Amino acid sequence: MSDLFLGLDCSTQSLTSLIIDFGSGRVLYRERINYDEDLPQYNTRNGVIILDNEKIIHSYPLMWIEALELLFEKMKTTKIPIHNVKAVSGSGQQHGTVYLNNKFESNLKKLNRHKSLFSQLKNSFSRPTSPVWMDSSTTNQCEEIREKLGGLVSTIELLGSNTFERFSGPQIRKFFQEEPELYKQTSTIHLVSSFLASILLGINAPIDHGDGAGMNLMNIKTKQWDIRALEATAPNLRDKLPSLTKPYNIIGTLSSYFVRKFGFSPDTRLIAWSGDNPNSLIGVGLIEKGKVAISLGTSDTYLGYLQDLHLDFKGEGHVFGAPTGDYMSLICYKNGSLARERIKNNFNLNWEEFSEILNNTPPGNNGKLMLPYFFPEIVPQVLEPHVYRFGFNENDIEGNVRGIIEAQFLSMKLHSKWIGEKPTEIYATGGASANKDILQVMANIFNTKVRMFELTNSAALGAAFRSAKSYYDLTNKIKSWDEIINKFIDFQKSVIIEPNEKYIGLYDDMLKLYKNYEDFILKNGEDPELARLEFIKKYF
Ligand code: ADP
Ligand code: XUL
């Protein structure tokens, strides 16, 4: 009987399960619960709810629990030999916090398999909703924490990132300030990843160094909770946080609820869960310097493996722990898939039509340039949403379609310079990486070849890889990361999109123009309209 490994991914819009078969090197099973469609009673849009104004964005931890149970029910009805699953790990959208009262752990310990998780856990929360990574309502708290830590540079040196609105620490501080009584009633604060890991484990699970680094609470060098950051955030916070652990640690076995209800073996190991970006890093096979990945999910992220700690003192990028125990770099954009969808839907297009327009519009967009902040943006920081269009208007279909795609990759190229060397290859992943025409623009702007993968859900795949690695390390059948990755990803067969050298000069000039426009709208520079007209004269 072949060894099976399960990877789960609780992302912004859906919960995915994926089972790999180590014997055959194949993905045996994949299933997805879409929150909006499969759990309509929560009334989410794209998996979230917008409270009060567009800066406060939350989701429901109970919805994730229901999705988890639904997913396991579906798995049970398939012919997959569930009892051969040797280990399970998972991935969670990063930064989101779950606030639990003192009943949570006792509820977990006495779960009865004849009842649903929902009915047995619904009284476990001190806060019914969870702020998620899209929330940008904590600017004051970010400033307060940064100041207490001695300013920008010392904050980055200590935590690996500047303070960010979506990071857990500022979110916790806001909760403490606005709802002190509920904060007091909170026994445990989990991340999305450690929350779901706890449910599978049957007791509180630790937070791994990959996801822990996205909290503004973990010392990036010692990988321990940082006492100064805890004190700058909220009182008695240390008592409310789980412990930290290495991403590859085995944290226990699957709880008897899942074993008995769904047919898993009682020996099924549970590996620490991590954030979706660290999981994706391993899920596309990034374990060396030189190559980078771009994930086009709900968020767009630019991620790379780092052998040594390398920080961005400008304060736009982040350093997190990588699944290998090393570090990774990350830049995150809120105006990712949902911004592309805005343009697609505004013109009533499907993705094929969107691609056709993209292909029929020239690189450089006839000098039309967009700065697409449909939602508050992280990089550069733009808290008030506004879509800037230069040389066209909102009714120009070609201008808008090419405008948004070029803007997204020009911005990534501009803001990833701190990472250093030019990548030799880009691995594309996430929902929109299925779109070859979008990836062609990526290849041209970066002047780098782009690799497309058969599977776009690298976070769930990464979680399955991580469970295989830890399980084989435990059982002395040690396998290298290379061995695991190459067994499942056929790099020979994946599609490579080559950059078109014809556009190197055009995109170099356009990048300068884009930067000038960014400076202009951020009030750091003059209106570059004349330079744009020169650009049009030169290329069109
Ligand atoms: P997440 O994991 O963050 O929930 P996914 O990685 O599953 O998100 O990506 C979902 C997004 O992928 C959708 O919001 C959609 O906009 C985008 N998407 C799916 N197919 C295409 C396509 N063919 N072209 C462009 N975007 C696509
Ligand atoms: C990363 C980030 C997002 C979330 C959701 O810092 O905020 O990528 O992890 O996917």
Side-chain angles (χ1 to χ4, degrees), residues 9-12 91-96 132-134 166-167 211 214 275-278 295 297-303 318 320 330-334 378:
D9 172 32
C10 181
S11 76
T12 315
S91 151
Q93 50 172 298
Q94 297 197 252
H95 318 296
V132 297
W133 67 276
M134 295 165 98
R166 70 193 193 286
F167 275 39
D211 225 8
D276 52 359
N277 290 292
S295 171
T298 312
S299 61
D300 280 357
T301 57
Y302 181 100
L303 35 149
H318 318 299
F320 295 160
L330 183 115
I331 311 164
C332 177
Y333 293 87
K334 272 189 199 152
I378 303 163

Side-chain angles (χ1 to χ4, degrees), residues 11-13 32 297-298 337 341 351 430-432 435 438:
S11 76
T12 315
Q13 304 193 51
R32 171 176 281 211
T298 312
S337 280
E341 275 179 31
W351 286 121
N435 190 318
I438 291 179

Side-chain angles (χ1 to χ4, degrees), residues 243-493:
S243 56
L244 285 161
T245 191
K246 296 189 174 99
Y248 43 82
N249 273 353
I250 295 179
I251 57 174
T253 51
L254 204 56
S255 90
S256 67
Y257 180 85
F258 289 89
V259 168
R260 297 177 64 199
K261 187 161 184 169
F262 302 107
F264 287 88
S265 152
D267 294 330
T268 312
R269 311 286 161 166
L270 193 65
I271 318 306
W273 283 43
S274 188
D276 52 359
N277 290 292
N279 274 292
S280 277
L281 189 81
I282 216 75
V284 294
L286 259 188
I287 47 164
E288 57 183 4
K289 274 170 54 175
K291 296 171 181 133
V292 300
I294 293 181
S295 171
L296 305 175
T298 312
S299 61
D300 280 357
T301 57
Y302 181 100
L303 35 149
Y305 166 84
L306 293 176
Q307 207 156 17
D308 305 300
L309 187 60
H310 171 67
L311 300 166
D312 172 25
F313 286 107
K314 226 178 130 201
E316 291 178 340
H318 318 299
V319 173
F320 295 160
T324 50
D326 307 308
Y327 288 108
M328 63 179 284
S329 55
L330 183 115
I331 311 164
C332 177
Y333 293 87
K334 272 189 199 152
N335 287 276
S337 280
L338 300 184
R340 286 184 287 275
E341 275 179 31
R342 275 284 176 93
I343 299 286
K344 174 179 90 65
N345 297 341
N346 283 352
F347 293 104
N348 279 319
L349 304 171
N350 59 36
W351 286 121
E352 286 71 34
E353 291 161 341
F354 185 95
S355 281
E356 205 179 310
I357 294 167
L358 192 58
N359 280 333
N360 292 332
T361 324
N365 208 12
N366 291 313
K368 297 171 188 172
L369 209 125
M370 181 191 269
L371 276 79
Y373 311 126
F374 289 90
F375 312 98
E377 188 49 274
I378 303 163
V379 186
Q381 191 186 53
V382 177
L383 291 170
E384 297 306 323
H386 187 88
V387 179
Y388 299 86
R389 296 176 175 88
F390 299 99
F392 70 116
N393 65 30
E394 61 184 16
N395 302 319
D396 173 344
I397 186 164
E398 287 89 4
N400 279 281
V401 166
R402 183 162 277 274
I404 188 159
I405 303 298
E406 289 190 332
Q408 289 175 326
F409 297 131
L410 286 168
S411 178
M412 266 189 198
K413 187 164 182 189
L414 186 63
H415 295 283
S416 58
K417 283 196 173 144
W418 66 274
I419 296 168
E421 53 197 298
K422 177 182 181 295
T424 54
E425 192 174 324
I426 298 170
Y427 291 174
T429 183
S433 71
N435 190 318
K436 217 173 160 175
D437 306 290
I438 291 179
L439 300 192
Q440 184 63 61
V441 181
M442 183 194 282
N444 289 349
I445 287 183
F446 281 91
N447 184 28
T448 303
K449 64 179 170 187
V450 172
R451 192 179 288 270
M452 253 181 123
F453 293 90
E454 209 182 313
L455 253 182
T456 58
N457 197 307
S458 49
L461 187 62
F465 288 174
R466 294 198 305 110
S467 35
K469 173 80 175 127
S470 296
Y471 174 78
Y472 288 128
D473 285 354
L474 172 81
T475 51
N476 284 325
K477 293 183 237 163
I478 296 177
K479 312 244 181 285
S480 68
W481 280 115
D482 261 334
E483 201 179 334
I484 295 172
I485 290 160
N486 286 312
K487 208 168 169 89
F488 291 91
I489 304 179
D490 190 342
F491 286 90
Q492 304 301 324
K493 278 199 194 143

